[in-house]
Amino acid sequence: MEVNLYISPDEYQRWYQGSAKHVHATTVDGRSVQFPATILRSFVTHEGIRGRFRIHFDTQNRFQTIEKID
């Protein structure tokens, strides 16, 4: 699935500190998705997290991989 994410540095900091554990987003095809905020750590910049990402889950809906595609 693909999602466009625009998360400010302050917003991600709340996830990193543990006050929020999951990201809720809408896929590019309109589905609602929830995933652990920790999978985004390697994509954090001084601008936060911005771009389109492809997230892969297994057949039991467990996170497998994430890649930035834009």
Side-chain angles (χ1 to χ4, degrees), residues 12 15-16 20-23 35-41 49:
Y12 187 77
W15 285 315
Y16 186 76
K21 294 187 179 2
H22 294 90
V23 174
F35 53 88
T38 56
I39 72 171
L40 298 172
R41 280 189 188 145
I49 300 168

Side-chain angles (χ1 to χ4, degrees), residues 12-64:
Y12 187 77
Q13 185 68 25
R14 287 193 299 271
W15 285 315
Y16 186 76
Q17 292 173 340
S19 62
K21 294 187 179 2
H22 294 90
V23 174
H24 299 271
T26 302
T27 64
V28 296
D29 63 1
R31 295 177 286 158
S32 180
V33 63
Q34 174 180 302
F35 53 88
T38 56
I39 72 171
L40 298 172
R41 280 189 188 145
S42 62
F43 301 103
V44 178
T45 69
H46 67 280
E47 295 177 346
I49 300 168
R50 300 193 185 284
R52 181 174 284 199
F53 296 85
R54 185 174 293 129
I55 306 171
H56 301 274
F57 296 93
D58 66 15
T59 56
Q60 281 105 28
N61 293 320
R62 286 182 287 215
F63 169 73
Q64 295 295 302

